């Protein structure tokens, strides 16, 4: 049991209060009253719920800043990334090392839950690879949503793999591991893939996720089907309350209304879409229409960092280019409860009694926070790329005084560097 005490400000995701404390019960949830046990000093900090990265590609943590992958059309970016994966060789060892780096980076930037949309598969049912990613999360103390994705995979094979992974990793009573399914998009996967993965999701009670209305998605849908991506997803049964769509860079007002009517949720990934030149998603308009909004970083192949708070700041900055301005509190809501809602995880992203005891202590005593009138807004506007002092997941301290508790950061980074060097990749 743990009590986090002495903060300047606590934002529960619902209310904010000066001072106060958060009590973490033995069940890993926020307790209604005081608990006996360890005390974590949060003096000089703002406490928020743990951030939820609703869209990541952890494998890409091993493939950052590759030549020819910056600011290019997606139709060029995709084959270049695929060639890099082939050159290195994707297997459970690489998946574990890359996921360890991506998850460590996430925890060290205040993210307590990561949805990993895995799209690159070696031969076999994929259970060994998925288990390697889950093991990396367990070693570091992060929550993982493993999304069995598909990118031109054989539909039957993809469904069988998803079924096997859900049988092995799904049903985790602790809530530390969750399984979902997710074709890459209509540009990549056939109607049969969407249908069969949808059947797996229904059978196992999984959420569904895909990517829509990115550059290549719109182009291929028009060329192959003479349709818009969202028309196809609606026709294929993939606009529904259990579905989350990432990106949505190019959507029309009519499409926004369609999304709102179906109950689908959306994930904003500005740290990927903007630097690649793929567009600015109109998230404020989607939110105003009633669509639940989450926030994600996407992967290291398009967003070289996995820092969700930095991307939340970017979302603030670019929102006026696609509609109205948004507030820091609104975007923090996207990065916490909004992302969690898209995963069907109402207990995440809030610090009310009974919710998961996932929280972040952000130190606001430094010079970059001096003169900040609103410390909660300052988390986004001041100190781009800030690191938290402490991070707690399920009532357990996983980052203390800016350092990983379970493994040295240098060890995590060194393991991936050594693996890549052994496979002759710089």
């Amino acid at each position: 049991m743990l009590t986090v005490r002495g903060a300047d400000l606590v934002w529960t995701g619902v209310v904010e209060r000066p001072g106060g404390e958060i009590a973490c019960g033995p069940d890993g949830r926020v307790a209604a009253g005081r608990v006996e046990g360890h005390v974590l000093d949060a003096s000089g900090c703002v406490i928020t719920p743990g951030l939820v990265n609703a869209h990541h590609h952890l494998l890409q943590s091993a493939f950052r800043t590759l030549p020819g992958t910056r600011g290019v059309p997606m139709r060029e970016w995709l084959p270049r990334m695929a060639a890099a994966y082939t050159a290195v060789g994707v297997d459970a060892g690489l998946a574990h090392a890359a996921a360890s780096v991506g998850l460590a980076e996430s925890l060290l930037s205040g993210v307590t839950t990561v949805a990993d949309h895995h799209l690159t598969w070696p031969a076999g049912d994929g259970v060994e690879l998925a288990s390697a990613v889950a093991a990396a999360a367990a070693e570091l103390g992060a929550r993982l949503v493993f999304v069995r994705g598909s990118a031109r995979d054989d539909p039957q094979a993809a469904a069988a793999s998803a079924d096997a992974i859900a049988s092995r990793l799904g049903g985790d009573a602790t809530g530390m591991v969750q399984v979902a399914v997710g074709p890459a998009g209509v540009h990549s996967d056939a109607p049969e893939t969407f249908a069969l993965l949808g059947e797996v999701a229904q059978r196992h009670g999984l959420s569904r996720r895909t990517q829509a209305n990115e550059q290549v998605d719109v182009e291929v849908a028009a060329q192959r089907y003479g349709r818009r991506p969202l028309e196809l997803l609606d026709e294929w049964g993939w606009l529904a309350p259990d579905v989350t769509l990432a990106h949505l860079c190019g959507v029309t007002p009519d499409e926004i209304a369609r999304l709102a009517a179906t109950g689908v949720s959306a994930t904003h990934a500005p740290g990927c879409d903007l630097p690649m030149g793929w567009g600015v998603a109109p998230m404020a308009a989607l939110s105003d229409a009633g669509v639940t909004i989450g926030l994600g970083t996407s992967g290291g192949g398009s967003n070289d960092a996995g820092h969700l708070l930095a991307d939340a700041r970017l979302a603030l900055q670019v929102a006026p280019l696609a509609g109205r301005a948004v507030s820091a509190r609104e975007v923090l809501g996207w990065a916490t409860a909004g992302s969690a809602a898209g995963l069907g995880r109402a207990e995440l992203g809030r610090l009310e009694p009974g919710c998961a005891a996932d929280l972040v202590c952000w130190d606001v005593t430094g010079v970059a926070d001096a003169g900040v009138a609103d410390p909660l807004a300052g988390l986004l506007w001041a100190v781009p790329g800030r690191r938290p002092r402490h991070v707690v997941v399920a009532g357990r301290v996983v980052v203390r005084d800016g350092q990983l508790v379970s493994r040295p950061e240098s060890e995590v980074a060194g393991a991936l560097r050594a693996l890549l060097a052994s496979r002759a990749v710089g």
Side-chain angles (χ1 to χ4, degrees), residues 193-216:
T193 303
F194 282 86
L196 292 177
L197 287 179
E199 291 174 8
V200 173
Q202 186 174 37
R203 187 158 56 248
H204 291 276
L206 311 179
S207 65
R208 296 181 289 165
R209 314 179 72 78
T210 190
Q211 303 169 128
N213 285 55
E214 290 178 288
Q215 198 177 60
V216 73

Side-chain angles (χ1 to χ4, degrees), residues 9-22 30 46-50 332-333 336-337 346-353 355-356 358-360 376:
L9 177 71
V10 176
W11 181 64
T12 69
V14 179
V15 299
E16 54 194 88
R17 57 177 185 265
E21 61 186 34
I22 300 292
V30 177
V46 171
I47 294 178
T48 70
L332 278 172
T336 51
E347 80 279 15
L348 302 180
R350 296 182 298 126
L351 291 175
E352 298 295 304
C355 292
D358 297 1
L359 61 91
V360 186
L376 192 60

Side-chain angles (χ1 to χ4, degrees), residues 237-314:
W238 273 69
L239 293 187
D242 67 319
V243 175
T244 297
L245 305 179
H247 300 293
L248 294 174
C249 298
V251 289
T252 67
D254 286 346
E255 288 175 331
I256 290 173
R258 175 183 291 208
L259 291 170
T262 62
V264 72
S265 59
T267 301
H268 192 21
C272 159
D273 296 326
L274 270 80
M276 296 302 291
W278 295 342
V280 182
M283 286 296 157
L286 285 159
S287 179
D288 292 343
V291 177
T292 297
I293 306 298
L295 195 67
T297 60
S298 199
S302 58
N303 177 358
D304 298 294
H307 198 302
L308 195 68
L309 196 71
D311 285 5
R313 184 178 192 269
L314 180 60

Side-chain angles (χ1 to χ4, degrees), residues 59 88-97 118 120 122 128-129 132 419 423:
L59 182 70
V88 175
V90 175
D91 57 14
L94 177 66
H96 180 272
H118 192 92
T120 305
E128 183 183 7
L129 188 150
L419 186 147
R423 300 184 186 191

